[in-house]
Amino acid sequence: MIRFFLIEDDPVIRRMLERIIMECNLGEIAGQASDGIGVSIDQLYGVDIVLIDLLMPGQDGIQTIKKLRSEGFAGRFIMVSQVENKEMIGEAYLQGIDTFIQKPINRLEVMSVLKRVVDHLSLEASLQSIRKSLQILDVKAKEPVDADHKSKISQESSLEQKARQLLLQLGIASEAGAPDLLLIMRWLGEEEQRGDKLRELQLKELYTFILQKLHGNLDEQSIVKEVRAMEQRIRRMVIQAFTHLSSLGLTDYANPTFEHFAPRLFDFQEVRMRMQELEAGEKTTKCRISVKKFLSVFLLEAKA
């Protein structure tokens, strides 16, 4: 069961959030606090998601997140705020929040946001279980682990950890396509570590390889359906990263995340066009985005 912790100075909002979580069977409330000053890593033992207010007396949400991250908390943060200041929102994403819930609290929005993050955590746990099972079978089928094999495992772990950090930096860690991206990175990393040349695959071919590796032999109809679903999840995630970076650039052109990633992951002319769209209040984009370029550069960044 997913465990939540609430950090919010308004008791009415805490009660509303608690009621929504309990009535929708999203998880359980592990604890609550009216500000971030007194919250320690010990109180968050076993907590999966922290719902935290941005503006609180004494210590704001961003300061609290920095403190808890430095103490080793590895769970998810969801910011609850009515702040529309782009600089503060950009800073919150840089500190690793998954997403925002806008005040005043809307029940449907809260349900939608929390369900998406909970589903992502459940999917991640399932993938973790599959990986562990495959690793156990792999170890049983081989000779005792030698130094080279240990090095390979360490490199794979390092690649996946760096990929997770990149997902947080790009504001897409809670997107439905994030687990798909991690699987793709792992497969591409394994291909290269075996010394194989990465083939010039079409994206649909790549998605098909990943799904067959994960699920075994699927019938043709199921493959087509799963490939289409993966394709849509990944494209939506890439568009979200594109919009997130454009938003950071619109707030602060010298933002280090924007400066580093925007011209590498995307065509910078398209990024500038998206910034203009955001400035005009347009939610959808007409910009051209290369998913293949994004995946290729993401792998290079994860290996750096």
Side-chain angles (χ1 to χ4, degrees), residues 266-279:
F266 304 102
D267 184 324
F268 198 68
Q269 293 298 322
E270 300 298 322
V271 174
R272 292 182 63 183
M273 189 183 301
R274 182 60 181 141
M275 290 166 66
Q276 293 171 358
E277 289 178 340
L278 291 172
E279 201 165 26

Side-chain angles (χ1 to χ4, degrees), residues 217-234:
N217 293 325
L218 293 174
D219 60 81
E220 187 174 350
Q221 186 177 0
S222 297
I223 278 287
V224 170
K225 181 180 177 181
E226 292 297 327
V227 166
R228 186 180 297 117
M230 177 181 275
E231 189 175 30
Q232 291 174 349
R233 290 194 300 267
I234 290 176

